[in-house]
Structure formats: structure tokens, C-alpha cells
Amino acid sequence: MRKKVAFYTLGCKLNFAETSTIARSFTDEGFDRVDFSEQADIYVINTCSVTENADKRFKTIVKQAQKANPKAFVAAVGCYAQLKPQELADVNGVDLVLGATEKFKITDYINDLSKNDFGEVHSCEIEEADFYVGSYSIGDRTRAFLKVQDGCDYKCTYCTIPLARGISRSDTMENVLNNAREISSQNIKEIVLTGVNIGDYGKGEFGNKQHEHTFLDLVKELDKVEGIERLRISSIEPNLLKNETIDLVSKSRAFVPHFHIPLQSGNNDILKKMKRRYMRELYVDRVSKIKDVMPHACIGVDVIVGFPGETDEHFLETYHFLNDLDISYLHVFTYSERDNTEAADMDNVVPMNVRNKRSKMLRGLSVKKRRAFYESQLGTKRTVLFEGENKEGYIHGFTENYVKVKMPWNPELVNTLHDVELTKIDDDGLVRFDFVKELAL
């Protein structure tokens, strides 16, 4: 009987790309991949450490695995596994914990799959995480996440990512292009570029600080790869998003007019305390530049509320700053203290009830912003890529500029692109449309 393996991924697109790569290594070893809710011989949980919530969810997911198969071997990998390996190993039911450099060699650590009395830990010093492992996700969705960069050299005072993933390093241009071609050969229509700090691409591509390529070079070369219908840039720092890149996307064959740019705070004093590498004025400049050359572009924003020292005045400044900006939606993070970060030792801690209230206000603003953006797109002609899931009798899809649309379920539309005209916003906030051409299905 072939052994079965199941995966659960917490956190970011980068984690999804890496889970997919780890899953392929199991397939190569003769395992069959099954859904996490099914009975498997081994369950692999790819962890995240960005928020306290992701930490807490880990125990729940381990219990889920044990419920499906009490005798199953449970392994934890990823950022939380690097930062607090012993904490994970102590969770009842966990057999193996692998850190940043070990996770891609997981099949080497799995011998007889018998349960351990104690969680076994293999975790390197993070300084040893100085080599690059390429990853991409395939088969999970109608789009693929392609990892181009890992690690971060920034020292933001709230962030554990450099401790969990090490220094900034990049894939070689040749590797990225080969992976992109491989993805496109499997009838996947959209590739999302992902990494910890993708605007830093190029650094460390030869295993040292030397590099000959930049993010702009990468974008130019990927745009030439045949067979890729859509390329999407995931989160990119405002100080690393250059005018040349914005101009290239505006004229690109495949890159779509959608940017996700972390802001974190609209107050310069808080940005300094966070050790961000820009002021709010630069952020305004980036948004203005994008909207100047691509008025229909979708712009998403990350923002953190309740950072130590954030007064009501600071928060209201952030709120009004975002309200006045021509952006499309927000990802709101409630600040949570992380061990071994500068911010964890800062004074003027914001009470949790205040953090939650501010978070709720910004989430409300996000709903308003998204609605206004969707309304601005009504009457325009766009191209939709349809997703593969039947959600309560509807199929969903996204336009190139990230407007989410819906229509009654039609399996023949899955993973296909169609020209549409956006007509109205439904009661659930999603957009209805008419096909520009009659469907020839």
C-alpha cells in the first residue's frame, strides 16, 4: 500500500509555494497526497509566526490531524518551527519539527513513521539559512505562486521574519524563468510572484551579496515568457517599487494592473519607530504614479494598528491618510508582541481593546474603499479568470485588476479567461457582468 501524506499551510503565499514544493518531494518518494481532512499516514503543517493567532491555530490543526488518524506521524515546518521549535515539539501529538534549512529535506528525516514519545527537533542557527531553495505551487488553484526570493535584510522593529527566514537571497534568473515555463506548460493561466521582500530580488543570487540582476530585470524577462497569460506582483515595499517597474507593468503584455504595497502606518513618527525605510510622502508618490499611468489599477495596502506609542491622534492620522488615498482595499493587522523583537520591549503599550477597536474601524474603511473601487469599474470591459470552486452554486473569478465577480456555477468556465463588461454590484458585494461575446461552450 502506498503511504498517504496531507498538508496544511498557515500564512502567506510564499508558504503555499513552499508547501507545494515539499509535497512534490513526497510524491517523488512514492506518497499519495490527500486532503488534510482525510486519513493520512503523515500530516505536515507549514507554520507561520507573523501573528499570535497563527501560533494558536497550530494546536487546533494538530488536533484535527489526530482526529483523522490518531496513529499518524505529525511534522511541523516553517517560520514558527524555526523560531520556537521546542514549543512546537512540546505540543501533544507532534513528532518532528524542522527549521528553515531542514524543511526541504523532510523526506530524509522520516524513517519508519512510528510515533515519537517526544517531538524531535532539527533546527539550524538562522545564520546557516544562507542558501536558496526555489519553490512554486501547482495544482492547488487556477493560479500558481512562484517564489523568486527569500529572507529579509530589513530590521523592522515588530517583525520576526529575518529571525525565521534569514538574510535576503534570490533565485537565479535562469531558474525563475525555467519554473515559469514549467508552470505555463501545465495550463495554468496566472502566476503570482512571491517572496519575503521581492523588490530586493537579485541580492544573493550567487550565494553572496553580489548580483547582476534587479527586480526590474526579472519583470522584463518574465514578461517575455510565452504561454503565461497573467503575471501578478504580490506584496512589494514602496521604497523598492520603482517608476521603471510601474511604467513597465503599464505597458506589459502579461503583468496585470494590481499592486499590494505595505504601508503599516500613515504617521511618520510611528514609521520611524517601526524602522520602515520610507515616509508617508513616498507612499503618496507611489500611489500617484500608479494611478497616473494606470487609472484602473487596484492597489492593496497592509496596515498595522496598535503599535506601541500609537496615540489616538496617530491612529486618526493613519485613518484619514488612507481615506484620502486612491487605494482599493486594506489588509489590517492588529499589532501583536513577538519575542526577540525591539517593539516587544517598547513603552506606551496600546491596550488590546483599543487595538481591536482601531482594527474594526480600518476594516470598515476597507469595505468602503473596495466598494468605491468596484463602483468605479462598472461599465468597463475587463478579462476574468474563473476559479475552480463551486461556492453555493456560484463560480467566482477575478478581473486583471482584481475585481471579484460571480455568476451561476458552470464547470466549463473553470480556469478559462473571458472578456466581460462589469454591470452591477450584488448584495454580497461581488460584481455581476455580461459576456462581451456569446459563450461558445
Side-chain angles (χ1 to χ4, degrees):
M1 287 284 290
R2 283 165 67 93
K3 299 275 191 218
K4 292 176 180 172
V5 61
F7 297 87
Y8 198 106
T9 305
L10 289 159
C12 61
K13 294 181 176 77
L14 180 55
N15 271 6
F16 277 97
E18 292 184 342
T19 297
S20 212
T21 296
I22 292 166
R24 286 193 290 277
S25 72
F26 274 93
T27 307
D28 293 344
E29 294 288 334
F31 283 79
D32 287 330
R33 183 175 181 178
V34 297
D35 190 78
F36 201 83
S37 60
E38 295 177 45
Q39 189 168 18
D41 300 286
I42 177 165
Y43 293 89
V44 180
I45 304 165
N46 194 353
T47 63
C48 169
S49 68
V50 170
T51 65
E52 196 177 7
N53 193 33
D55 294 0
K56 286 177 181 165
R57 282 186 63 198
F58 177 76
K59 288 178 184 171
T60 310
I61 296 157
V62 172
K63 281 180 185 161
Q64 263 178 264
Q66 288 181 299
K67 194 174 174 185
N69 182 3
K71 295 178 182 171
F73 190 90
V74 177
V77 300
C79 291
Y80 190 11
Q82 175 63 35
L83 289 172
K84 298 194 172 176
Q86 201 52 54
E87 203 171 286
L88 292 194
D90 291 342
V91 172
N92 186 35
V94 173
D95 299 291
L96 178 68
V97 179
L98 298 180
T101 61
E102 294 81 11
K103 62 188 169 190
F104 293 107
K105 300 177 284 192
I106 183 169
T107 53
D108 297 347
Y109 290 98
I110 292 161
N111 300 320
D112 57 359
L113 291 188
S114 54
K115 296 289 286 175
N116 292 328
D117 292 335
F118 303 99
E120 192 181 311
V121 173
H122 296 277
S123 181
C124 67
E125 292 301 315
I126 198 59
E127 290 75 24
E128 293 167 34
D130 58 359
F131 57 91
Y132 186 86
V133 178
S135 302
Y136 59 86
S137 70
I138 267 187
D140 302 333
R141 293 181 167 86
T142 48
R143 63 180 70 91
F145 299 134
L146 173 56
K147 174 181 165 185
V148 300
Q149 182 275 343
D150 201 349
C152 188
D153 292 341
Y154 286 11
K155 299 286 188 285
C156 300
T157 54
Y158 53 82
C159 186
T160 56
I161 295 295
L163 301 172
R165 285 189 169 269
I167 59 169
S168 180
R169 54 210 188 273
S170 309
D171 207 347
T172 62
M173 180 77 81
E174 185 184 4
N175 248 2
V176 174
L177 296 176
N178 283 341
N179 283 342
R181 289 186 196 102
E182 194 170 324
I183 292 167
S184 71
S185 72
Q186 302 196 33
N187 195 30
I188 288 174
K189 302 285 194 289
E190 180 174 311
I191 293 176
V192 182
L193 302 186
T194 183
V196 174
N197 188 356
I198 64 172
D200 213 20
Y201 175 81
K203 194 184 279 185
E205 63 182 311
F206 303 113
N208 51 33
K209 289 296 175 192
Q210 292 180 325
H211 62 95
E212 63 178 88
H213 296 114
T214 63
F215 185 68
L216 179 62
D217 295 333
L218 181 71
V219 170
K220 280 179 182 168
E221 291 307 311
L222 280 167
D223 202 34
K224 297 174 191 169
V225 176
E226 288 180 22
I228 303 172
E229 302 274 356
R230 281 185 179 180
L231 285 155
R232 202 178 289 277
I233 298 169
S234 69
S235 186
I236 183 166
E237 295 284 311
N239 52 306
L240 294 174
L241 178 56
K242 306 298 184 192
N243 282 346
E244 294 84 355
T245 305
I246 296 169
D247 284 332
L248 193 142
V249 169
S250 73
K251 302 181 184 84
S252 162
R253 176 194 66 80
F255 277 93
V256 294
H258 175 207
F259 296 87
H260 194 94
I261 315 168
L263 168 69
Q264 311 311 13
S265 175
N267 173 270
N268 282 342
D269 291 336
I270 297 295
L271 286 174
K272 284 174 190 165
K273 283 188 79 174
M274 290 176 165
K275 290 194 179 169
R276 300 293 286 160
R277 298 195 178 195
Y278 54 87
M279 293 290 101
R280 56 183 255 159
E281 290 75 16
L282 176 85
Y283 201 92
V284 173
D285 184 62
R286 298 297 76 207
V287 171
S288 303
K289 171 65 183 174
I290 291 166
K291 287 293 185 174
D292 188 37
V293 294
M294 290 171 275
H296 60 298
C298 178
I299 301 175
V301 184
D302 286 342
V303 61
I304 296 170
V305 296
F307 189 79
E310 184 187 62
T311 62
D312 285 345
E313 290 74 21
H314 289 145
F315 170 71
L316 285 172
E317 192 179 333
T318 294
Y319 185 94
H320 293 306
F321 179 73
L322 289 164
N323 192 38
D324 295 342
L325 262 186
D326 191 2
I327 52 149
S328 316
Y329 64 90
L330 305 171
H331 280 175
V332 183
F333 296 90
T334 306
Y335 171 75
S336 62
E337 287 79 359
R338 317 307 292 147
D339 290 344
N340 303 314
T341 60
E342 269 188 71
D345 298 321
M346 288 180 180
D347 297 332
N348 302 314
V349 172
V350 178
M352 193 51 81
N353 65 321
V354 176
R355 296 184 212 182
N356 291 337
K357 182 183 167 190
R358 291 175 185 173
S359 182
K360 196 172 177 182
M361 281 177 70
L362 281 186
R363 289 197 170 102
L365 179 61
S366 181
V367 171
K368 189 177 111 178
K369 284 286 186 183
R370 195 185 295 269
R371 175 89 188 192
F373 176 63
Y374 282 8
E375 283 176 355
S376 76
Q377 296 304 299
L378 296 181
T380 64
K381 290 185 172 62
R382 298 281 169 237
T383 306
V384 171
L385 174 59
F386 288 98
E387 308 270 305
E389 205 177 335
N390 182 341
K391 292 188 178 173
E392 296 173 358
Y394 287 92
I395 187 168
H396 294 160
F398 284 94
T399 64
E400 66 274 32
N401 60 341
Y402 216 54
V403 174
K404 192 172 185 180
V405 304
K406 64 183 271 199
M407 68 169 279
W409 173 253
N410 181 340
E412 293 177 52
L413 288 174
V414 171
N415 197 35
T416 62
L417 287 149
H418 293 275
D419 294 330
V420 304
E421 182 175 341
L422 304 179
T423 56
K424 66 171 187 170
I425 300 176
D426 222 344
D427 294 341
D428 58 4
L430 303 187
V431 177
R432 296 291 198 136
F433 59 88
D434 292 329
F435 286 102
V436 172
K437 296 176 193 150
E438 282 299 312
L439 282 183
L441 292 173

